[in-house]
């Protein structure tokens, strides 16, 4: 860690330190004890790598230029070097952009020093292994070469053979005249090989790279380059282009092309009102799809695979049930799971069932339900687009499988949608232009897997309703950190949603037509009492004996069903439907099935005679116990299902003789729903940042005071009479000020602390210890004295 860097951090104002901590919150997790600790953490390899990953291409080019050039460098020299890579001459916009970028890099503590002496922070050069595609300096390339070999290389390129050190060799390669002469001496094939490595990557693989060949006897192009130190062997089969040679081949330029502005986004202009309506329609559809999925899984849940996840056949079944493509059904299932609306009922032989959280979710308004789903999709680490692909061990990735998690998923969704926001209202940029823009905004994070996540994001955002016709809409923009927080996404979406209907059109062919979206209660009742026959602009429900019996099993009576139909029908209840309900209800429950293993009880002996005479009842092994009672060795559910298959309408009853009401639509899992990490879009709170900076400043003051106390001769901690100490502590509590105390620890060692006293009682002082960034209790008899905080400056 550089002392100059630490002193530069110490000279920064509190506002500047707060800005650093706000953009790099990992530096105060936990809060360092002093500024030396903060500097060490800021220059660590992992911390530097994280902040470099967030830089755009222009900022990365600036820091790469500073890493390549000798330090320190003036801002004017930096500007001149970068201007060589511009397509045109530098103008005022370029100078302004460069000044802002340098200041931003200072804020990030990647660059330090004034404009007259800029330098990269410690750790930056080590993290940038190949800045701008350049190889390491010659000193690093030839570091492990033996002295004898270095002497031979120095002699072959025109130096003094008696000075065979890597520094001498690096000095020769740093001379453009020497490098130019060496390149002229090699064959065209060797020059072509150099040109291949010039703009990166600077390394390659060749056989026998470490074979020592003199320039006079070199035959192959690679041997010619190795013998003249134009390439250096770093392994048995690895060669690298020294940085000095690469800069010569680039004619002194560090970057081939440079632009301070991002590439423009190309795409189609959309009508904003049409895009809003399209996105609202998708938002409504995905919300209803999640509700339909949970309702169906309440009745007939799919099983959990042994390794976790959902079977392929169950995904296909859900897609058919929801009338959606399989990838959309997978998206709906994954979002419902990530939102905690569905979970497993057990780890072994369990089912996928709705959770109690679903009941709380479904009673909300449509716009609020969509906001939950959209926010979940935006922040979850699961990737539904990977369903159906295979992992590195060629295993199929199923829906709801644990292996669908990707740590970068949420960040890619946020940045991708941020690009759509930057495109402006109504512009639907192409996927290619979005990828190019992201490659400029985060060049160190680009790659094939990331491009795939971007494609998934664009496709899923359209399906979720965050975008409409490829353009970001207002309620989708409100989900992002850059969105308008004055209005929530739900409030922006609500006026665009269709008004739910509370009526259907009953027809004489035993169907009900829903001309639009229905209210949740009516929709749930129809799902119980009828079966969906077709969907589209209008949903058609069909009533039949089986669906009516399902409603009766759930505890409804014929009168209640007819009253419900009359209340929610825009037309009179057709006579065929009324006859169907009353006829099924009349026959329902005349025959009762209980547990013997199972028994059948009926007040009409002739009906039981009919059952006993039916050859289809032979597998049930029935036995007549009384004129009105039949026993069976099968279970009660099996007996009920078999009698219904034979055309009867039995009802299950309890041991007390009461009819068992089968409430198929309220099955819930006791398993724990998925717990999602809280989104961290907003970063640290301002008061947390301010408190952290105060703690670091106070700790640094105490750290410097321990090394050389200002007002304590001989480096002693503060000492004062006990009465004076108590009075001073009470005054500090009253004023809310900080004090510097001396304190004896449990081993009797003297220490100094910077405290902000809170209260004093029972022989103890409770105070916030700025040195350790925590609240502690201090025994008053251990306080050796008190003093004002020394002025370190």
């Amino acid at each position: 860690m550089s002392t100059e860097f630490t002193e530069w951090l110490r000279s920064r104002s509190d506002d500047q330190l707060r800005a650093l901590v706000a953009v790099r919150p990992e530096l105060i997790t936990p809060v360092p004890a002093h500024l030396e600790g903060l500097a060490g953490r800021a220059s660590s390899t992992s911390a530097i790598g994280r902040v470099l990953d967030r830089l755009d291409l222009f900022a990365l080019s600036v820091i790469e230029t500073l890493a390549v050039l000798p330090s320190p460098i003036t801002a004017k020299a930096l500007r001149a070097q970068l201007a060589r890579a511009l397509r045109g001459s530098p103008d005022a916009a370029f100078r302004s952009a460069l000044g802002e970028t340098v200041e931003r890099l200072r804020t990030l503590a990647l660059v330090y020093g004034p404009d007259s002496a800029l330098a990269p922070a410690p750790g930056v050069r080590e993290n940038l292994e190949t800045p701008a595609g350049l190889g390491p300096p010659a000193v690093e390339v030839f570091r492990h070469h033996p002295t004898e070999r270095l002497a031979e290389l120095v002699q072959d390129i025109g130096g003094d053979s008696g000075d065979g050190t890597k520094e001498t060799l690096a000095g020769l390669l740093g001379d453009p005249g020497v490098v130019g002469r060496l390149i002229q001496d090699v064959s065209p094939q060797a020059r072509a090989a150099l040109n291949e490595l010039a703009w990166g990557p600077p390394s390659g693989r060749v056989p026998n790279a470490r074979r020592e060949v003199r320039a006079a006897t070199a035959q192959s192009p690679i041997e010619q380059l190795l013998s003249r130190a134009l390439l250096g062997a770093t392994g048995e089969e690895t060669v690298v282009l020294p940085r000095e040679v690469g800069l010569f081949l680039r004619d002194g330029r560090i970057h081939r092309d440079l632009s301070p502005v991002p590439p423009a986004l190309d795409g189609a202009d959309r009508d904003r009102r049409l895009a809003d309506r399209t996105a609202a329609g998708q938002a409504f559809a995905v919300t209803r799809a999640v509700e339909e999925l949970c309702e169906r899984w309440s009745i007939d849940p799919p099983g959990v695979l042994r390794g976790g996840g959902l079977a392929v056949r169950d995904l296909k079944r859900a897609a058919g049930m929801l009338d959606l493509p399989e990838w959309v059904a997978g998206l709906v299932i994954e979002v419902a799971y990530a939102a905690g609306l569905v979970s497993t009922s057990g780890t072994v032989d369990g089912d996928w069932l709705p959770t109690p959280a679903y009941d709380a979710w479904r009673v909300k308004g449509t716009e609020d339900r969509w906001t939950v789903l959209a926010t979940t999709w935006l922040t979850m680490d699961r990737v539904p687009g990977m369903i159906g692909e295979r992992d590195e061990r060629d295993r199929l990735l199923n829906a709801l499988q644990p292996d669908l998690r990707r740590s970068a998923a949420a960040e890619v969704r946020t940045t991708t949608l941020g690009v759509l926001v930057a495109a402006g209202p109504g512009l639907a940029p192409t996927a290619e232009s979005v990828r190019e823009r992201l490659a400029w905004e985060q060049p160190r994070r680009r790659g094939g897997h990331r491009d795939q996540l971007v494609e998934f994001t664009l496709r899923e955002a359209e399906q979720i309703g965050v975008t409409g016709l490829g353009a970001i809409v207002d309620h989708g923009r409100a989900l992002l950190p850059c969105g308008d927080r004055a209005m929530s996404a739900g409030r922006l979406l609500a006026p665009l949603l269709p008004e739910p209907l509370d009526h259907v059109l009953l027809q004489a062919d035993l169907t009900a037509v829903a001309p639009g979206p229905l209210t949740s209660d009516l929709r749930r009742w129809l799902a119980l009492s009828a079966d969906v026959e077709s969907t589209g602009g209008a949903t058609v429900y069909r009533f039949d004996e089986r669906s009516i019996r399902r409603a009766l099993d759930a505890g409804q009576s014929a009168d209640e069903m007819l009253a419900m139909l009359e209340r929610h029908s825009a037309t009179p209840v057709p006579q065929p439907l009324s006859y169907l309900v009353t006829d099924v209800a009349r026959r329902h429950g005349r025959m009762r099935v209980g547990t013997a293993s199972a028994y059948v009880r009926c007040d009409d002996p002739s009906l039981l005679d009919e059952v006993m005479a039916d050859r289809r009842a032979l597998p049930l092994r029935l036995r007549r116990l009384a004129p009105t009672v039949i026993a069976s060795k099968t279970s009660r559910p099996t007996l009920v299902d078999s009698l219904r298959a034979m055309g009867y309408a039995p009802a299950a009853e309890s041991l007390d003789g009461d009819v068992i009401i089968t409430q198929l639509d309220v099955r819930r899992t006791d398993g724990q729903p998925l717990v999602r990490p809280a989104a961290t879009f907003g970063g640290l709170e301002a008061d947390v940042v301010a408190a952290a900076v105060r703690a670091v400043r106070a700790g640094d003051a105490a750290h410097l005071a321990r090394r050389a106390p200002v007002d304590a001769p001989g480096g002693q901690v503060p000492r004062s009479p006990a009465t004076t100490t108590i009075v001073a502590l009470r005054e500090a509590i009253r004023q809310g000020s900080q004090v510097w105390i001396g304190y004896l620890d449990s081993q009797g060692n003297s220490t100094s602390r910077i405290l902000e006293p809170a209260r004093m009682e029972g022989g103890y002082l409770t105070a916030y210890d700025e040195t350790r960034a925590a609240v502690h209790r201090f025994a008053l008899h251990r306080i050796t004295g008190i003093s004002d905080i020394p002025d370190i400056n």
Side-chain angles (χ1 to χ4, degrees):
M1 182 182 63
S2 169
T3 304
E4 293 82 1
F5 179 66
T6 303
E7 292 302 323
W8 175 80
L9 267 183
R10 186 170 282 127
S11 67
R12 303 285 278 176
S13 67
D14 285 354
D15 288 341
Q16 291 169 329
L17 287 181
R18 282 193 289 268
L20 168 63
V21 171
V23 294
R24 297 180 64 179
E26 67 274 6
L27 298 184
I28 59 168
T29 310
V31 177
H34 39 65
L35 280 169
E36 286 186 12
L38 181 66
R41 194 174 297 175
S43 57
S44 66
T45 302
S46 58
I48 291 290
R50 279 194 293 269
V51 71
L52 287 176
D53 287 345
R54 299 200 295 265
L55 296 182
D56 60 52
L57 185 58
F58 184 66
L60 183 63
S61 301
V62 173
I63 197 68
E64 286 178 333
T65 301
L66 288 170
V68 170
L69 297 178
S71 299
I73 184 177
T74 65
K76 183 178 180 180
L78 174 64
R79 182 168 61 249
Q81 178 63 50
L82 290 169
R84 303 181 66 177
L86 291 177
R87 297 176 183 175
S89 58
D91 54 11
F94 169 75
R95 290 191 291 271
S96 175
L98 178 59
E100 292 175 359
T101 300
V102 170
E103 188 56 39
R104 180 156 64 95
L105 293 174
R106 280 200 192 101
T107 301
L108 292 168
L110 290 176
V111 172
Y112 71 99
D115 286 350
S116 58
L118 295 173
V124 170
R125 283 194 172 96
E126 292 76 8
N127 204 289
L128 294 171
E129 296 179 357
T130 58
L134 290 168
V139 173
E140 295 295 326
V141 174
F142 298 101
R143 179 176 54 183
H144 298 295
H145 282 55
T147 305
E148 296 80 6
R149 179 57 180 164
L150 290 173
E152 292 175 353
L153 290 173
V154 170
Q155 183 180 11
D156 285 347
I157 64 178
D160 184 3
S161 60
D163 190 10
T165 64
K166 56 182 181 293
E167 289 78 12
T168 301
L169 183 59
L172 290 170
L173 293 177
D175 186 347
V178 173
V179 176
R181 175 176 53 81
L182 294 174
I183 293 177
Q184 290 299 321
D185 291 343
V186 300
S187 64
Q189 294 84 356
R191 288 196 293 270
L194 286 178
N195 291 331
E196 286 291 328
L197 300 174
W199 290 100
S203 60
R205 297 181 65 86
V206 296
N208 300 322
R210 287 196 180 276
R211 185 173 59 180
E212 297 181 0
V213 181
R214 299 300 296 268
T217 59
Q219 298 295 324
S220 69
I222 298 301
E223 288 179 350
Q224 296 175 28
L225 298 174
L226 289 171
S227 64
R228 291 169 174 80
L230 295 175
L231 287 181
T234 56
E236 294 297 332
E237 297 183 348
T238 307
V239 294
V240 67
L241 184 72
R243 180 172 299 175
E244 293 84 350
V245 179
L247 287 173
F248 177 86
L249 294 171
R250 297 183 182 190
D251 193 23
R253 289 185 298 166
I254 295 177
H255 298 90
R256 175 180 289 179
D257 191 12
L258 192 62
S259 174
V261 296
L265 292 168
D266 300 325
D269 289 322
R270 307 294 189 189
D271 180 83
R272 292 187 61 183
R273 296 181 61 186
L274 179 60
D276 288 343
R277 291 197 300 269
T278 302
Q282 286 299 122
F284 182 85
V286 75
T287 304
R288 281 302 175 91
V290 170
E291 182 181 4
E292 179 70 17
L293 175 79
C294 293
E295 292 297 327
R296 294 299 182 92
W297 281 9
S298 296
I299 299 172
D300 187 13
V304 180
L305 294 177
R306 182 177 301 177
L310 186 71
V312 174
R313 65 177 181 276
D314 291 323
L315 176 61
K316 293 181 179 292
R317 180 183 176 191
M321 174 183 68
L322 300 175
D323 195 23
L324 294 172
E326 284 188 30
W327 75 267
V328 180
L331 173 63
V332 169
I333 292 170
E334 286 288 343
V335 171
Y337 172 63
L341 304 182
V342 296
S343 184
T344 59
S345 60
T347 55
V348 179
D349 296 330
D351 294 324
W352 291 104
L353 282 167
T355 65
Y358 165 68
D359 297 304
W361 173 83
R362 73 180 182 183
V363 299
K364 297 180 179 179
T366 303
E367 64 276 10
D368 294 329
R369 287 186 289 165
W370 176 83
T371 301
V372 171
L373 299 178
T375 304
T376 297
W377 168 78
L378 186 61
T379 58
M380 70 181 186
D381 60 357
R382 301 184 62 80
V383 184
M386 296 178 62
I387 296 174
E389 297 185 359
R390 293 190 174 273
D391 62 10
E392 62 277 2
R393 288 182 285 181
D394 199 35
R395 296 181 305 179
L396 185 67
L397 294 175
N398 295 86
L400 300 177
Q401 192 170 329
D403 293 340
L404 289 181
R405 298 181 63 183
R406 295 293 183 272
S407 58
E411 185 268 334
V412 171
R413 292 190 189 103
T414 303
T415 54
T416 302
L417 294 183
V419 169
L420 299 185
V421 172
L427 180 63
T430 62
E432 182 62 28
S433 66
V434 171
R435 286 194 294 269
E436 291 178 358
R437 183 65 166 265
L438 287 174
W440 188 91
E441 290 186 353
Q442 296 177 337
R444 281 170 55 98
R445 292 183 175 178
R446 64 186 306 176
H449 177 65
R450 195 171 184 85
D451 289 343
Q452 186 185 44
L453 291 179
V454 171
E455 292 180 6
F456 291 156
T457 298
L458 295 174
R459 182 177 70 173
E460 293 168 3
E462 188 76 15
Q463 198 65 39
I464 293 288
V466 176
T467 61
L469 303 176
I472 192 80
V473 294
D474 290 340
H475 56 268
R477 187 181 295 107
L479 297 171
L480 301 172
C482 57
D484 182 10
R485 295 295 182 178
M487 293 192 68
S488 66
R491 291 177 59 190
L492 293 169
L493 175 63
L496 303 172
L497 293 173
E499 191 69 27
L501 303 177
D502 64 348
H503 66 274
V504 294
L505 304 176
L506 297 178
Q507 302 186 109
D509 61 351
L510 302 180
T511 60
V513 178
L518 300 176
T519 60
S520 295
D521 291 340
L522 180 57
R523 189 166 174 266
R524 283 168 51 81
W525 186 86
L526 283 174
L528 179 67
S529 306
D531 296 317
V532 176
E533 188 171 80
S534 65
T535 58
T539 304
V540 178
Y541 295 87
R542 177 166 293 280
F543 297 92
D544 57 22
E545 183 175 341
R546 185 169 58 90
S547 67
I548 298 297
R549 186 169 58 240
R550 188 169 64 222
L552 294 172
D553 286 341
Q556 297 193 36
S557 65
D559 292 339
E560 290 173 340
M561 294 184 66
L562 291 174
M564 186 73 173
L565 291 171
E566 291 176 357
R567 186 163 58 251
H568 293 285
S569 175
T571 58
V573 179
Q575 195 174 52
L577 180 57
S578 178
Y579 284 169
L580 174 66
V581 172
T582 55
D583 182 61
V584 173
R586 178 180 56 81
R587 293 183 288 111
H588 183 266
R590 291 179 59 194
M591 188 182 294
R592 303 289 184 89
V593 177
T595 303
S597 292
Y599 65 84
V600 179
R601 178 173 64 85
C602 182
D603 294 336
D604 186 356
S606 62
L607 189 56
L608 294 186
D609 292 339
E610 184 180 341
V611 172
M612 293 296 294
D614 197 324
R615 298 183 61 182
R616 293 174 295 176
L618 292 178
L620 300 178
R621 303 175 66 182
L622 301 177
R623 180 181 178 186
R624 192 75 170 262
L625 299 181
T628 58
V629 180
I630 296 176
S632 173
K633 292 188 176 182
T634 60
S635 64
R636 181 173 60 197
T638 302
L639 184 56
V640 170
D641 293 340
S642 299
L643 290 174
R644 286 177 175 173
M646 294 165 59
Y648 300 100
E653 72 175 11
S654 65
L655 295 176
D656 297 328
D658 299 325
V659 175
I660 297 177
I661 297 176
T662 307
Q663 297 189 8
L664 299 175
D665 59 335
V666 293
R667 292 188 61 186
R668 297 292 180 264
T669 176
D670 295 329
Q672 293 295 321
L674 177 68
V675 178
R676 297 185 296 113
T680 56
F681 286 155
L684 296 176
E685 298 290 341
D687 55 347
V688 175
V689 171
V693 171
R694 287 199 306 270
V696 172
R697 285 287 195 196
D700 195 57
H703 178 65
L704 294 176
R706 282 196 298 271
R707 294 190 301 185
V710 175
D711 60 341
Q716 299 298 316
V717 298
R719 295 189 180 277
S720 60
T723 304
T724 304
T725 300
I726 297 298
V727 172
L729 287 175
R730 286 174 178 169
E731 183 65 18
I733 293 173
R734 187 182 67 81
Q735 295 182 357
S737 59
Q738 294 180 344
V739 294
W740 180 31
I741 70 166
Y743 193 72
L744 297 176
D745 60 18
S746 57
Q747 284 76 37
N749 298 319
S750 298
T751 62
S752 62
R753 309 288 182 92
I754 303 292
L755 303 182
E756 186 174 323
R759 65 178 180 272
M760 190 166 48
E761 59 185 5
Y764 285 90
L765 170 70
T766 302
Y768 179 76
D769 187 348
E770 296 279 3
T771 313
R772 291 162 175 76
V775 175
H776 288 292
R777 296 183 72 201
F778 300 90
L780 291 176
H781 69 276
R782 292 183 180 271
I783 298 178
T784 62
I786 189 168
S787 175
D788 293 333
I789 297 178
D791 185 6
I792 302 302
N793 296 325

